[in-house]
């Protein structure tokens, strides 16, 4: 485990190197010395995207797709490699790194393994992306049985590297799939499960995402729900029955203990993606409450504890021809630009991506919005009877003559903030429930050009990957990573 002494020494070494001016010349460890330096890094040339076959008509293993996004490459805008997993039914989901900018001060570390946790099997794959970045290979498989035997946890989700060299993965269930939030600690060299990060007795009722800020000696984690419930699809009755989360947990980073739990109530149902500001000295950030469709700011108050404030409210739309009489936006992903100027998030059901200027942290200002599918398009069969935002239902989006099914979901921003990538699949069981044509026809990877001065999003119709045309059949593309790091995996210490 990462003790206070180890972290302090790691931070001291990194600070000493940076202050000496050697960081830029020697390259040091992986990533960048600061978020602003990362913004000056090279343009992304490859994308790594987990693609899911579980829950589709294809009885095949999930795979990792490598997409060429280098405009100077002869294979630009193509899937240039597919790495199938050795098993069927994993449900790959989010991914992370063995090392990132948190290890910048350690020249012995390399960002050469992509970590792929699996929601259903609880396996964790360590993928070698260093030997040949264009053709990743499996380096090691951590079996789900090992994860559960050592930690008592299952259903791994978010993976972050630590400055100590270890890898930390959040988990959402116990060995039987009941709700239990905890953290799996993996050795970043041997890729063996070391144990639990959280101190004994500090499991949370639910688990999902997390972000740590060592300079503040704090970590905050969020909640999804009970795996045995959400893995089967979404039932609104389960929210009332207490099967879904509505709290944030504040942790003492060095003691690995929960020091505060913030109940967000009805305004914060199913708080998913959580982002501290990238500035490592920051004491605030944002979380997207999916079902309540709110962006909630969390911040350190004058008493030294954390408070929350709803800063963006996406009103539900009254509808006919849908499962419920009111449709939430369903905020499923969010991120911050590396300069902490813009907040982006996706409304998977309403179908839009939004860009907010957060120069005033407590009062985000909408500066960009684009619709990319969703459930309220004019041809969806859903009639919106009351809308507090739009005067008419949006048009469907067609790419290369094909309708984009599903809604904007996972998003990733280029380091310089000028390009925003998006995929349209959430999770196979929920895809099948809300967007059956998405499962049948496959998902898309799309890209938007971003106005980084005054704000604004423009769809680049020349860049897309249609995962409905995959050689083994339509697949569901999910999270997006770059070999050199990105806006949601790198943490600075």
């Amino acid at each position: 485990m990462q003790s206070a002494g180890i972290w302090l020494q790691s931070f001291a070494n990194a600070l000493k190197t940076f202050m000496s001016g050697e960081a830029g010349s020697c390259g040091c460890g992986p990533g960048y010395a600061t978020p602003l330096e990362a913004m000056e890094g090279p343009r992304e040339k490859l994308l790594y995207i987990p693609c899911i076959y579980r829950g589709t008509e294809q009885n095949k293993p999930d795979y990792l797709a490598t997409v060429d996004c280098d405009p100077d490459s002869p294979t630009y805008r193509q899937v240039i490699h597919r790495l199938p997993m050795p098993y069927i039914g994993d449900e790959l989901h989010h991914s992370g790194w063995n090392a990132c900018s948190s290890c910048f001060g350690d020249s012995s570390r390399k960002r050469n393994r992509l970590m792929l946790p699996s929601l259903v099997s609880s396996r964790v794959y360590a993928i070698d992306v260093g030997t040949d970045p264009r053709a990743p290979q499996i380096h090691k498989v951590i079996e789900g049985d090992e994860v559960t035997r050592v930690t008592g946890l299952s259903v791994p989700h978010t993976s972050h590297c630590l400055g100590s060299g270890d890898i930390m993965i959040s988990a959402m269930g116990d060995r039987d799939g009941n709700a239990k939030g905890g953290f799996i600690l993996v050795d970043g060299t041997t890729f063996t499960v070391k144990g639990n990060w959280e101190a004994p007795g500090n499991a949370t009722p639910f688990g999902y995402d997390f972000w740590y800020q060592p300079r503040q000696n704090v970590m905050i984690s969020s909640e999804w729900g009970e795996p045995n419930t959400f893995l089967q699809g979404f039932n609104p009755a389960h929210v009332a029955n207490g099967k879904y989360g509505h709290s944030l947990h504040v942790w003492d980073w060095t003691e690995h203990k929960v020091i505060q739990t913030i109940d967000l109530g009805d305004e914060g149902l199913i708080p998913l993606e959580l982002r501290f500001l990238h500035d490592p000295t920051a004491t605030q950030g944002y979380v997207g409450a999916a079902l309540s469709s709110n962006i909630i700011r969390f911040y350190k108050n004058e008493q030294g504890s954390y408070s929350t404030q709803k800063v963006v409210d996406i009103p539900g739309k009254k509808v006919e021809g849908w499962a419920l009489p009111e449709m939430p936006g369903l905020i499923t992903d969010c991120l911050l630009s590396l300069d902490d100027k813009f907040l982006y998030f996706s409304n998977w059901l309403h179908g839009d991506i939004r860009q907010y200027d957060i120069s005033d942290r407590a009062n985000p200002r909408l500066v960009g919005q684009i619709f990319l599918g969703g459930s309220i398009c004019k041809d969806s069969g859903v009639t919106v009877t009351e809308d507090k935002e739009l005067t008419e239902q949006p048009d469907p989006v067609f790419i290369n003559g094909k309708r984009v099914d599903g809604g904007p979901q996972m998003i990733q921003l280029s380091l310089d903030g000028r390009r925003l990538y998006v995929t349209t699949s959430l999770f196979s069981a929920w895809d099948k429930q809300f967007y059956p044509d998405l499962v049948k026809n496959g998902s898309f990877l799309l890209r938007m050009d971003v106005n980084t001065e005054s704000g604004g999003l423009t769809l680049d119709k020349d860049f897309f990957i249609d995962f409905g045309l995959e050689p083994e059949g339509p697949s569901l593309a999910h999270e997006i990573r770059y070999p050199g790091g990105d806006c949601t995996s790198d943490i600075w210490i």
Side-chain angles (χ1 to χ4, degrees):
M1 294 186 180
Q2 187 185 39
S3 68
I6 292 175
W7 173 77
L8 287 172
Q9 184 62 51
S10 175
F11 173 63
N13 291 341
L15 185 62
K16 179 180 178 181
T17 300
F18 178 64
M19 294 301 291
S20 71
E22 297 175 358
S25 58
C26 73
C28 293
Y32 301 88
T34 69
L36 294 182
E37 185 174 307
M39 292 190 75
E40 302 299 322
R43 176 176 173 146
E44 69 283 356
K45 295 184 178 181
L46 297 174
L47 309 178
Y48 297 130
I49 305 177
C51 295
I52 288 78
Y53 274 134
R54 179 187 175 272
T56 73
E57 297 177 358
Q58 282 64 244
N59 187 34
K60 299 179 183 297
D62 300 342
Y63 63 98
L64 180 68
T66 303
V67 174
D68 187 337
C69 60
D70 179 2
D72 296 325
S73 169
T75 53
Y76 179 50
R77 298 176 297 190
Q78 296 178 33
V79 178
I80 58 173
H81 188 263
R82 299 169 182 86
L83 175 65
M85 300 301 109
Y87 304 98
I88 293 175
D90 284 319
E91 187 87 40
L92 301 178
H93 199 61
H94 285 202
S95 59
W97 297 102
N98 65 316
C100 72
S101 292
S102 66
C103 305
F104 181 76
D106 185 351
S107 60
S108 69
R109 305 292 297 170
K110 293 182 180 179
R111 193 198 308 258
N112 59 2
R113 301 289 184 265
L114 182 68
M115 306 303 295
L116 286 179
S118 309
L119 289 184
V120 174
S121 68
S122 294
R123 293 187 184 94
V124 179
Y125 295 96
I127 307 299
D128 177 3
V129 297
T131 302
D132 184 353
R134 295 173 64 88
Q137 299 298 323
I138 293 176
H139 174 73
K140 185 173 181 179
V141 180
I142 305 173
E143 291 291 347
D145 289 346
E146 179 185 352
V147 171
T148 302
R149 174 178 54 81
V150 178
T151 67
L153 298 169
S154 66
V155 196
H157 189 268
T158 299
S159 176
H160 278 302
C161 70
L162 306 182
S164 65
D166 287 333
I167 300 159
M168 184 167 155
I169 306 173
S170 62
M172 298 183 285
D174 65 10
R175 63 181 67 250
D176 298 315
N178 301 306
K180 182 181 182 181
F183 301 91
I184 303 157
L185 203 62
V186 176
D187 187 292
T189 301
T190 64
F191 300 99
T192 56
V193 180
K194 299 176 69 172
N196 298 68
W197 177 86
E198 72 276 8
N202 280 265
T204 55
F206 300 96
Y208 187 73
D209 199 15
F210 70 101
W211 197 282
Y212 61 88
Q213 292 284 77
R215 295 194 198 183
Q216 304 300 326
N217 191 38
V218 70
M219 180 180 83
I220 297 183
S221 63
S222 62
E223 301 183 328
W224 186 357
E226 179 186 71
N228 286 337
T229 297
F230 69 70
L231 289 176
Q232 306 307 314
F234 178 70
N235 183 342
H238 290 153
V239 178
N241 293 339
K243 299 294 187 180
Y244 285 93
H246 46 79
S247 297
L248 298 181
H249 304 283
V250 183
W251 298 75
D252 183 300
W253 179 240
T254 53
E255 296 293 329
H256 307 180
K257 295 179 179 179
V258 176
I259 55 176
Q260 183 184 0
T261 292
I262 305 172
D263 188 341
L264 302 174
D266 290 343
E267 297 281 18
L269 295 174
I270 314 185
L272 295 181
E273 307 299 335
L274 181 150
R275 315 293 183 211
F276 257 100
L277 297 182
H278 292 288
D279 176 358
T281 68
T283 58
Q284 60 183 311
Y286 303 88
V287 63
L291 190 58
S292 300
S293 300
N294 295 322
I295 294 293
I296 295 173
R297 171 180 170 247
F298 54 85
Y299 60 96
K300 192 173 184 178
N301 57 40
E302 293 180 355
Q303 291 72 41
S305 59
Y306 276 77
S307 299
T308 58
Q309 169 194 18
K310 180 178 71 172
V311 293
V312 178
D313 185 348
I314 307 300
K317 302 181 189 297
K318 292 186 179 180
V319 296
E320 295 177 351
W322 196 65
L324 298 171
E326 185 167 314
M327 182 189 297
L330 205 71
I331 298 173
T332 51
D333 196 14
C334 68
L335 59 77
L336 302 175
S337 59
L338 287 174
D339 56 5
D340 293 329
K341 179 180 179 180
F342 293 114
L343 163 71
Y344 300 84
F345 64 85
S346 54
N347 287 306
W348 190 57
L349 290 179
H350 287 179
D352 60 316
I353 292 179
R354 301 189 181 206
Q355 177 192 25
Y356 284 79
D357 185 318
I358 55 169
S359 301
D360 181 348
R361 308 301 189 197
N363 296 284
R365 181 170 56 90
L366 181 64
V367 294
Q369 182 179 24
I370 187 169
F371 279 84
L372 299 172
S375 295
I376 60 168
C377 293
K378 291 176 180 176
D379 66 348
S380 65
V382 173
T383 300
V384 179
T385 59
E386 183 179 321
D387 194 325
K388 296 180 181 179
E389 296 183 311
L390 304 177
T391 57
E392 63 176 347
Q393 294 179 226
D395 292 318
V397 175
F398 289 85
I399 299 293
N400 201 31
K402 179 179 176 181
R403 189 185 191 279
V404 175
D405 296 311
Q409 211 284 101
M410 294 306 298
I411 54 177
Q412 189 56 262
L413 189 67
S414 61
L415 294 178
D416 62 10
R418 297 182 182 277
R419 294 167 299 284
L420 185 70
Y421 296 87
V422 58
T423 55
T424 53
S425 164
L426 173 61
F427 167 62
S428 66
W430 291 33
D431 290 349
K432 185 180 297 186
Q433 181 177 355
F434 291 102
Y435 293 112
D437 286 343
L438 170 66
V439 177
K440 178 182 178 182
N441 298 327
S443 62
F444 268 92
L445 167 71
L446 303 172
R447 188 174 72 191
M448 279 137 288
D449 294 323
V450 180
N451 183 325
T452 59
E453 298 300 324
S454 58
L457 301 171
T458 304
L459 179 63
D460 180 353
K461 285 202 170 187
D462 291 328
F463 183 94
F464 63 89
I465 300 291
D466 181 355
F467 286 94
L469 301 177
E470 287 293 271
E472 299 293 331
S475 66
L476 302 172
H478 198 61
E479 195 181 42
I480 305 153
R481 292 278 180 235
Y482 315 134
D486 49 61
C487 294
T488 55
S489 61
D490 276 40
I491 293 178
W492 280 265
I493 64 173

